Amino acid sequence: MSGKDQASPLQPSTLPPHQHSPHQPKPSLSPTLGSKDWNILQREVMTDTLTAMPAPSSSVRPNVISPKIKELLAHWSQVIARNEVQIARLGPQVDIGVVRQTLQYKFNRMLVYWRMFRLRDLPPEIILNIFHLIVWSTTHPSDGVKQRLRLTWVCKTWRRLMIDDPMLWNAIWFHDAPPYERSWEWFHRAGSSRLDIRLNEVDPKWTTVQDSPKITGQQMSDILDKLFTKLSQIRMLVVIVDSWSPALTVLQKLQSAGNAGTPINIERLEIHRSGLPYIWLGPGFDVQNQPYPAVLFGGQTNSLRYLCLSGLHIDFNDTPLSNLTTLDLRHIAIESSPTLKRFREVLQNCPNLDKLTLDGCGPQLEERRFDHTPVLLPNLKILTLGSFNLSFACFVVAQIDAPRVRDLTLMSMLGSDYIPLIAMLKGRFTQVRILTLYNMELQMNLVGKRTFVRWLDTMPEIGYARFARMNPEVLNLFAENPVNYRVPNEGERKAVAATCHVLCPKFQCMEVQAMPAEAIAKLCRLRKGVGVPMKKLYLNTPWAQKLSTEQLKALQQEATLFIAPLGANTEEENKLLTEGWTQ
């Protein structure tokens, strides 16, 4: 081992740069950045390094970087920079030792900074502010649960600070197995703070020891009785169950509380019934002495801003709905959906609506001729339409005038050729930055191709696209020359100069799943051929794990690969959604 790699009080001991861990044999190809194998190797490096280090001592608390440490930091940074160039250039063909050395030196550098920072000397309020940032900066609820627990395990001081701060415990995910001892302890620690509650029915980590992981209506009633002792404090309530009974129990309990005069200040409500859509199987729900369908919150909806109902419905006529920023309706039978008149009233009463999702749910059709103007939604940023037949999809689109939509999703539209819908969309959403096409049936005959290209030609701001289960021929159209498809003297594209020979010239980032890898690689080559190469390619984790090494290598030759974050937007999506947006 070289002199630069000797251990010191501030320097972790390391494995030689090209020595492979005994934990696993040397792989034939190196892991790529962001992949599962990369994360495994990163954790392995951290574990090996920490295991080889002596236990920390209170007598060794240096806070000044010595000349030797400065030299080491400079050396590590130089090696990291050199190695990262090799990794980017060679991809999976790079020597595994280079990857491990990079991870090792990055962790060495991080450890130096960790051990030099005098965290315990900070005032408690500053430490708690840091804890808040750690806990609230996670992208998934499960990560927030882990961060809270880990922070309490460090030392007595941290545990005392954590437990005494209600704001660190007021986001409660009932993720543990019944009887939810951990969640109820957090409920107690939250004190009088505002509460964000998430209740899931099933956790895949539960073993078969559980008699029945499904929540019954009575069990849901018992949980809510306890939760609703702090009902006025609840800011967010998310419930995900499988069957009708517990889902309807939530609505009934909320209605009863509202009717009884209990203050309800819920700003965000999501109730998902994830079982078979539309139909009711098994025992019925006892609605004796209870109005059905329920009036949400007994009418106390003044604070409500975010409403998501999936697989169940409310009394849309008698429930006041106004000033919403998100309306998300999914898988509701047409006879239980809001009437056309009521649907339009809700939209008109929500001028600041930011997100509208209609997936297998929309306004009831009327027999009379449709002769009114669409509802203007001047602040709608995200629009999702899915699970409609062709005629109903066109009917729904006709209700909406949203010229500033930036994120448009069309999904699960099968059974006929939806090119007429594409023709109807042409020129409606010219400000779209993010386009999502999932499982949509489009016939690629001459008319279909011409209509699709002309539609794309009206959305020159597209910079990010998501694709899944699409005909590869549809994707290939993104490399067509739009000039060849324009009608002479056509005045519908004033925003783009007539000399533009590239469709969506800003489209350089893509997220894919459930597509042939060869089709994605071909699209990247086609875009490169028209002078707009793909810069980033995000892969859905479950799909990426099914790809062969050869397929991953082929994709990496066309664009830099990343794993798409689960349950969160990529940095490019966030930028495209917010950049230059004014209310």
Side-chain angles (χ1 to χ4, degrees):
M1 186 178 294
S2 67
K4 291 184 182 292
D5 293 322
Q6 296 299 315
S8 73
L10 269 178
Q11 177 196 348
S13 58
T14 68
L15 292 173
H18 294 273
Q19 176 179 322
H20 300 286
S21 168
H23 294 177
Q24 59 185 28
K26 178 179 178 179
S28 56
L29 290 173
S30 295
T32 55
L33 180 64
S35 67
K36 181 179 179 180
D37 289 339
W38 179 283
N39 295 332
I40 291 173
L41 181 58
Q42 187 176 48
R43 179 171 290 275
E44 182 184 306
V45 167
M46 294 170 63
T47 302
D48 289 345
T49 304
L50 293 173
T51 301
M53 289 179 63
S57 171
S58 59
S59 62
V60 181
R61 295 183 61 193
N63 57 4
V64 177
I65 299 181
S66 67
K68 180 180 179 181
I69 296 301
K70 287 183 179 179
E71 182 185 356
L72 282 168
L73 289 171
H75 169 66
W76 292 337
S77 297
Q78 290 172 1
V79 174
I80 290 168
R82 184 175 66 245
N83 288 354
E84 285 182 337
V85 171
Q86 287 191 57
I87 293 171
R89 181 169 55 87
L90 299 176
Q93 299 297 329
V94 72
D95 186 273
I96 184 65
V98 173
V99 175
R100 185 177 182 93
Q101 184 186 54
T102 304
L103 294 173
Q104 181 71 69
Y105 283 178
K106 281 187 174 182
F107 189 57
N108 286 1
R109 191 171 57 182
M110 190 182 302
L111 274 177
V112 171
Y113 297 143
W114 284 351
R115 298 187 67 180
M116 291 200 57
F117 188 71
R118 297 168 60 186
L119 184 65
R120 294 187 62 182
D121 293 339
L122 294 175
E125 59 270 22
I126 301 299
I127 296 177
L128 281 173
N129 193 43
I130 294 173
F131 288 170
H132 287 180
L133 293 173
I134 294 171
V135 166
W136 293 106
S137 63
T138 56
T139 58
H140 193 272
S142 62
D143 294 329
V145 171
K146 295 173 184 175
Q147 298 290 41
R148 287 169 175 82
L149 293 175
R150 288 166 178 164
L151 287 170
T152 62
W153 296 340
V154 173
C155 63
K156 291 181 181 179
T157 301
W158 285 24
R159 181 174 178 80
R160 176 178 53 79
L161 288 172
M162 287 283 296
I163 291 178
D164 289 346
D165 187 349
M167 296 299 293
L168 287 167
W169 306 102
N170 63 344
I172 306 167
W173 186 13
F174 284 75
H175 189 63
D176 47 329
Y180 310 110
E181 292 182 5
R182 187 203 66 206
S183 296
W184 290 124
E185 175 60 26
W186 291 21
F187 185 73
H188 171 71
R189 292 178 185 177
S192 59
S193 62
R194 297 296 303 274
L195 300 173
D196 295 343
I197 306 295
R198 181 183 178 95
L199 176 60
N200 281 59
E201 184 172 63
V202 178
D203 185 324
K205 295 179 182 178
W206 292 356
T207 65
T208 54
V209 175
Q210 304 294 331
D211 293 331
S212 176
K214 301 293 181 66
I215 298 176
T216 66
Q218 183 58 52
Q219 288 170 335
M220 178 62 74
S221 179
D222 294 341
I223 292 170
L224 295 179
D225 285 342
K226 196 169 182 178
L227 274 178
F228 285 4
T229 59
K230 297 184 179 182
L231 178 57
S232 63
Q233 298 172 223
I234 297 179
R235 173 176 50 199
M236 181 181 81
L237 178 61
V238 178
V239 178
I240 303 174
V241 292
D242 182 76
S243 58
W244 283 95
S245 185
L248 294 177
T249 297
V250 177
L251 291 176
Q252 178 262 313
K253 284 282 188 178
L254 287 169
Q255 177 179 246
S256 297
N259 290 339
T262 303
I264 299 178
N265 301 306
I266 295 176
E267 298 174 12
R268 175 171 177 167
L269 176 70
E270 295 185 44
I271 305 177
H272 302 261
R273 187 187 64 80
S274 57
L276 292 173
Y278 313 120
I279 63 174
W280 187 318
L281 298 177
F285 177 68
D286 184 7
V287 295
Q288 292 181 0
N289 303 319
Q290 296 293 339
Y292 179 75
V295 175
L296 190 61
F297 303 164
Q300 289 193 50
T301 57
N302 289 339
S303 299
L304 188 65
R305 295 295 176 266
Y306 188 116
L307 175 62
C308 174
L309 298 173
S310 178
L312 76 166
H313 61 284
I314 58 174
D315 185 336
F316 287 103
N317 287 330
D318 290 339
T319 297
L321 294 175
S322 62
N323 297 317
L324 297 176
T325 57
T326 294
L327 178 61
D328 187 335
L329 303 177
R330 314 179 197 177
H331 308 302
I332 299 177
I334 189 66
E335 62 270 16
S336 301
S337 300
T339 63
L340 177 60
K341 179 182 178 181
R342 180 56 180 153
F343 178 75
R344 290 172 57 83
E345 286 176 350
V346 171
L347 295 186
Q348 290 165 348
N349 292 335
C350 301
N352 293 319
L353 194 67
D354 176 85
K355 178 180 179 181
L356 176 62
T357 296
L358 300 172
D359 182 11
C361 174
Q364 295 182 24
L365 286 165
E366 289 191 350
E367 293 184 4
R368 68 182 180 87
R369 182 178 177 84
F370 177 76
D371 57 1
H372 47 247
T373 59
V375 178
L376 177 62
L377 299 173
N379 295 302
L380 191 67
K381 187 185 296 184
I382 302 173
L383 175 61
T384 299
L385 302 174
S387 305
F388 297 147
N389 62 35
L390 176 60
S391 61
F392 192 78
C394 294
F395 168 71
V396 171
V397 168
Q399 312 304 318
I400 301 167
D401 180 10
R404 300 178 69 200
V405 165
R406 288 200 170 192
D407 186 338
L408 176 63
T409 296
L410 303 174
M411 63 182 187
S412 301
M413 295 189 183
L414 302 170
S416 60
D417 180 11
Y418 282 79
I419 284 296
L421 173 63
I422 298 299
M424 186 177 182
L425 292 174
K426 187 175 64 173
R428 282 182 175 265
F429 306 117
T430 59
Q431 298 301 311
V432 169
R433 266 79 165 163
I434 303 170
L435 177 64
T436 303
L437 299 175
Y438 282 179
N439 206 20
M440 189 176 187
E441 190 169 334
L442 301 170
Q443 294 297 323
M444 288 292 98
N445 51 32
L446 184 60
V447 173
K449 291 180 179 180
R450 181 173 64 245
T451 303
F452 191 84
V453 170
R454 288 182 178 178
W455 176 52
L456 292 181
D457 201 20
T458 65
M459 299 183 291
E461 298 298 321
I462 290 177
Y464 191 103
R466 312 182 193 102
F467 300 121
R469 301 186 186 282
M470 291 298 298
N471 181 350
E473 289 188 58
V474 176
L475 273 60
N476 294 342
L477 294 180
F478 279 82
E480 289 290 313
N481 184 344
V483 175
N484 299 334
Y485 293 84
R486 293 174 188 160
V487 176
N489 300 320
E490 189 177 33
E492 65 186 31
R493 290 195 66 257
K494 296 180 181 179
V496 180
T499 55
C500 181
H501 293 262
V502 179
L503 274 176
C504 310
K506 299 180 181 180
F507 172 37
Q508 291 187 294
C509 193
M510 179 169 45
E511 180 180 330
V512 294
Q513 59 175 305
M515 290 287 301
E518 297 75 13
I520 301 302
K522 181 179 180 180
L523 174 58
C524 292
R525 290 193 296 271
L526 290 173
R527 290 291 293 182
K528 185 177 181 180
V530 297
V532 190
M534 201 62 58
K535 291 182 178 179
K536 285 188 177 182
L537 183 57
Y538 285 95
L539 309 182
N540 170 272
T541 302
W543 178 69
Q545 292 174 346
K546 297 178 182 178
L547 297 178
S548 67
T549 301
E550 291 73 19
Q551 289 173 323
L552 286 171
K553 180 181 177 182
L555 291 174
Q556 194 163 39
Q557 289 176 344
E558 305 300 335
T560 304
L561 301 185
F562 293 87
I563 295 297
L566 293 176
N569 286 343
T570 64
E571 59 179 320
E572 289 80 13
E573 289 173 286
N574 288 330
K575 182 178 179 180
L576 291 169
L577 281 174
T578 59
E579 193 174 53
W581 180 269
T582 56
Q583 195 75 5

